[in-house]
Amino acid sequence: MPYIIRNLVVALFSSIFLMSFCYADIRLPTPQTSGGMSLFESLKNRGSTSGAGFPMGQVSDNELSTVLWAASGLNRGDKGWTVPMFKGKPPYVRIYVASEKGSYLYEWEGHYLKEINKKDIRANIGLQAFIKRAAYSLVFVAEESAFKDVKPEQINNFSYTAVGAMSQDIYLAAAALKLNARYIHSIKPAAIRQELQLSEGDKPLAMFIIGK
Ligand SMILES: Cc1cc2nc3c(=O)[nH]c(=O)nc-3n(C[C@H](O)[C@H](O)[C@H](O)COP(=O)(O)O)c2cc1C
């Protein structure tokens, strides 16, 4: 192999190797899908933890995995989700996860976290000071590219309908796991758009904080 080609091949493989260290996706543990608190007990316990008293404790990977699955995971083969979507489309509201270690996109297909950055953005994305204390902020973002055959005037309604369903699933999963949770509408869309490197048409809608 000529010297120059050998060097190019070495450089190519080195950059692929280095890139795999730059972005570290996180495989989530298998979510809990049986046992635990009954649905009716969860409904009885559902509630928002007050912002002022929101705890700073850690949430385990198992708990995060179960909450994300409840919010928009696959529950019936490869085309059925825990939440209803217009015409059975794949979830067009995506969940970004902001944590102390970095920001991630929840990929329901494969059930893993795709790394966006290694920054702790929690203090910069909500209008209330207590947000940064929660172990995780789950940010709901409507993905513009998923709405190609939806009338423009329906996009907002369909997006918030999805947020409502996802939020109630999060509340119930959090109650069952004895986690603290609160839905938050007062977000900073521009900061979120910038920190999460969203596409122009993607729309941050609201978020959820969870903690213990
Ligand atoms: C549409 C909506 C917007 C909300 N926005 C915020 C918010 O920006 N900040 C906040 O601290 N709580 C927010 N909440 C949480 C509510 O304040 C909370 O759900 C309400 O006090 C009722 O308490 P419960 O969930 O324990 O029943 C919001 C709830 C809803 C449904």
Side-chain angles (χ1 to χ4, degrees):
M1 187 187 293
Y3 181 73
I4 186 143
I5 297 199
R6 203 183 63 202
N7 277 1
L8 278 173
V9 170
V10 170
L12 179 69
F13 277 97
S14 307
S15 13
I16 291 171
F17 183 69
L18 283 173
M19 272 163 62
S20 66
F21 279 103
C22 292
Y23 285 98
D25 295 342
I26 297 177
R27 193 144 292 283
L28 292 163
T30 305
Q32 183 177 343
T33 57
S34 63
M37 191 182 281
S38 77
L39 171 64
F40 296 106
E41 255 184 283
S42 311
L43 280 166
K44 217 163 158 274
N45 288 317
R46 187 219 68 86
S48 303
T49 303
S50 88
F54 210 90
M56 296 178 72
Q58 290 306 306
V59 168
S60 72
D61 290 351
N62 282 318
E63 290 162 338
L64 176 66
S65 167
T66 299
V67 167
L68 290 170
W69 175 78
S72 67
L74 279 168
N75 70 346
R76 289 155 289 155
D78 58 3
K79 272 191 185 308
W81 296 268
T82 54
V83 279
M85 293 282 148
F86 171 66
K87 282 189 179 169
K89 284 174 180 288
Y92 34 78
V93 171
R94 307 296 304 274
I95 301 179
Y96 287 77
V97 178
S99 75
E100 188 180 14
K101 290 187 187 143
S103 313
Y104 309 86
L105 170 63
Y106 171 55
E107 294 281 13
W108 51 264
E109 195 170 22
H111 193 63
Y112 69 97
L113 295 177
K114 182 178 167 193
E115 188 179 284
I116 306 294
N117 61 46
K118 292 186 193 298
K119 267 177 80 179
D120 182 354
I121 64 169
R122 291 173 301 166
N124 191 26
I125 55 179
L127 292 172
Q128 291 156 293
F130 60 80
I131 306 265
K132 62 173 179 287
R133 290 211 306 273
Y136 292 107
S137 286
L138 310 180
V139 184
F140 300 114
V141 175
E143 201 172 46
E144 189 196 34
S145 58
F147 289 107
K148 287 202 172 70
D149 56 344
V150 177
K151 290 181 190 151
E153 64 271 22
Q154 289 179 318
I155 293 177
N156 218 31
N157 289 345
F158 288 6
S159 300
Y160 277 109
T161 302
V163 168
M166 293 161 109
S167 296
Q168 186 69 358
D169 277 7
I170 294 175
Y171 267 127
L172 293 177
L177 296 169
K178 299 193 166 70
L179 297 176
N180 297 91
R182 189 174 186 90
Y183 177 84
I184 304 285
H185 193 76
S186 312
I187 57 169
K188 295 184 186 168
I192 290 173
R193 186 168 283 121
Q194 192 185 350
E195 297 283 19
L196 298 178
Q197 300 154 36
L198 300 180
S199 303
E200 189 64 23
D202 289 353
K203 187 175 173 195
L205 301 167
M207 68 183 174
F208 226 102
I209 51 172
I210 56 169
K212 201 152 63 172

